[in-house]
Amino acid sequence: MAISRGEVLHVARLARLELSDAEVERFREQLSAILEAVGKVAELDLSGVEPTAHPLELSNVWAEDEPQPSLDAGEALASAPDREGHFFRVPPA
Amino acid sequence: MSWEPVIGLEIHVQLKTRTKLFCRCESGFGAAENARTCPVCLAHPGTLPVPNRLAVEMTIQLGLALGCEVAERAVFHRKNYFYPDLSKGYQISQYDEPLCSGGRFSVPGPAGDLEVGIVRAHLEEDAAKNVHVGGAEGRIGGATRTLVDFNRGGTPLVEIVTGPDLHSADEARRFLQLLRQTVVELGVSDAEMEKGTLRFDVNVSVRPRGSSELRTRTELKNMNSFAFAAKGIERELERQIAIYEGGGEVVQETLHFDPSRESAPPLRSKEEAQDYRYLPEPDLVPLAPPVELVERLRASLPELPAARIRRLAADVGLELAEGLVTSGRDALFDRVPGDRRMVANVLMNQLAGAGVDPTSVDPAELGKLIEARGRIPRSVFGEALASSGEPGFTAERYLGEAAISDASALDPVIERVLAANEAQAAAYRAGKEGLLGFFVGQVLRETGGKADARVVSERLRERLQA
C-alpha cells in the first residue's frame, strides 16, 4: 500500500520533524514498504479472529498504592540537556 | 427566535492516591520540582508502567456513584501528541474500552431532578506542569523558554464526560457543585479547583428552542472556578446567538477563557486539531474488574449528596438544602437542634461568614445559642458564633447578656440619632420609609450592637410618626 507525500508530511508535522524533499521521498518509499509488508496479514481470512492488542492472556496486573523512593531532583536532571534550577528547560512551547 | 443553550462538560478529577498511576512515586503537592520523579514517569528507555490498583478501584467507585456500567474488560490506550508536558510523547489514557460508561447523574433542581447522562468515566495519567517564562509572564505567547516539572506527570485522573444535557449556565454550575461534593464524599479526590485537583472544559452550542439538532460547538478551556465557568458560558452563548442572528455560522474551535477580560479568544481552530493516533498500550494488559470487587465497591457507596439534598429540601427549601450539602455543612445541620430553617440560615450565612470549621462545632451548644438568638444582642450573637468552633465553647457564657430592650435606655439614644440626622428624618416623614433601616443601624452602632433591633425599630417608627 503506497502512501502519499502529503501523508508523510502530516506524520512528520505531528512528530515535529522537519524533512527535506529527499527525505520525504525516502520515507515515503520506506513507509510504503512497511505498510505493504504488514498488509500481507489482510490477505488472510480473519473473520473468526478477535482483534488482538496483546499476545499475553493476562489481565489485572497491578501494584498496591505504596510509595517507593523517587529520584532526587539532581539525579532526575542528571541527563537533561538543559536545565534551570530544578526544572528541565526546553525551547518555548 | 428563541435559542436553547446546549452544554456538555468534560471534567478531570485528580485521584487521592498516595502514588502515581503507573509508578510508585508519591503524588500530590509540596515537593521540590522534579523531586517526585523516577525512570518510569520520566520515560527513560526500557521502563514499564504498572497500574495502581487503588486508582482503578477509585475510578470504579466513582463510576458507580455516577450510575455507570463497569466494563468487564477495559483497555489503556496511548494518546500521541508532542508537547513538553509529556515525557513519553504520549499520554496513557483510555479510548474505546473505558472502565465506566453509560451513566446517569440526577441533580435536584427547582423543577424536579435534572438528569445528566454520563457518557464515560475513564482513568488516565496527568501531564507534567509547564511554566512558560519570558514575555508576558506565564502566558504562552511571547515566552522565551518553557520549564518542565514532572512531579504532576503520571498522577491519576478520572475524566468524566457528560452528554449534551445541560441547558443553562446555572444548570452547569449546579451539576458541577454536586459532582464535586460527590467526589469529595467518596473520598476519591479533594477536588479543589484552586489546586487543580478538579478541572473542567465546557462544550457549548445553541439551537432554536424546540429543535433537537446539535449544532457546531465550541470548547471553553481554562475554567478555574464555577463562577468563571458560568460567566464564560453566558458570554459564549451570546456570541453564538449573535453569529446565527447575523446570518453567520459558528466555527468549531477551542476558546481559552480569560477571566480578567471576560472574553474567550480562540486557542486553536479545527484545522489544527490534534490527530492523536490512539493505539492500544502494548505495555499494559487489559483490566477485567472482578464481579466481587465491583459489588463490594457498590455496597460501600455512602448515601450520596443528591439524596440528602432531596431529603433536606422538604424542610428548608431547595436552595438552603443545596447550600448545606454542597458546602459539607449538612452533617452539622442534622445534629443541631432547633427550628430547621433558622438553623440552616445561621449555618449558611453567619457561621459560614465567620469562617468557622463546621466539624469543630458542638451541635448542642450551637443549638442553644441559635435558640437564644432573638434574646441576646446581635453583636454578642456574632461574637459567640465566631467562637463556636473553639474547644470548650459553651453557649451559656453568652446568654447572660440580654439585649437592651428597655425603652428608658433606648429612647435617649434614639433622640440623639434623630437630632443628628434631621434631613433623613424629614425624608422618612415625606415617605421614604426605607430609611428606617438606616436609623436602626445608627442606633445599633451607638449601643455597640447591644440594642434589641426589634424594639429599636418599633420605637423609631412610633417616634418618627409622631
Side-chain angles (χ1 to χ4, degrees), chain B residues 249-271:
Chain B
E249 284 295 320
V250 170
V251 179
Q252 182 169 345
E253 60 189 347
T254 299
L255 302 160
H256 193 86
F257 184 63
D258 180 350
S260 63
R261 293 196 299 163
E262 292 192 8
S263 68
L267 203 65
R268 61 170 186 247
S269 67
K270 179 76 190 302
E271 298 84 79

Side-chain angles (χ1 to χ4, degrees), chain B residues 340-381:
Chain B
R340 295 293 76 197
R341 257 181 198 275
M342 193 196 283
V343 171
N345 263 310
V346 169
L347 290 191
M348 284 315 296
N349 298 309
Q350 286 108 318
L351 194 72
V356 175
D357 172 8
T359 59
S360 62
V361 173
D362 178 335
E365 291 300 319
L366 183 61
K368 278 188 218 162
L369 181 65
I370 293 174
E371 194 271 322
R373 186 190 188 189
R375 300 195 305 270
I376 58 176
R378 203 186 288 187
S379 62
V380 172
F381 182 71

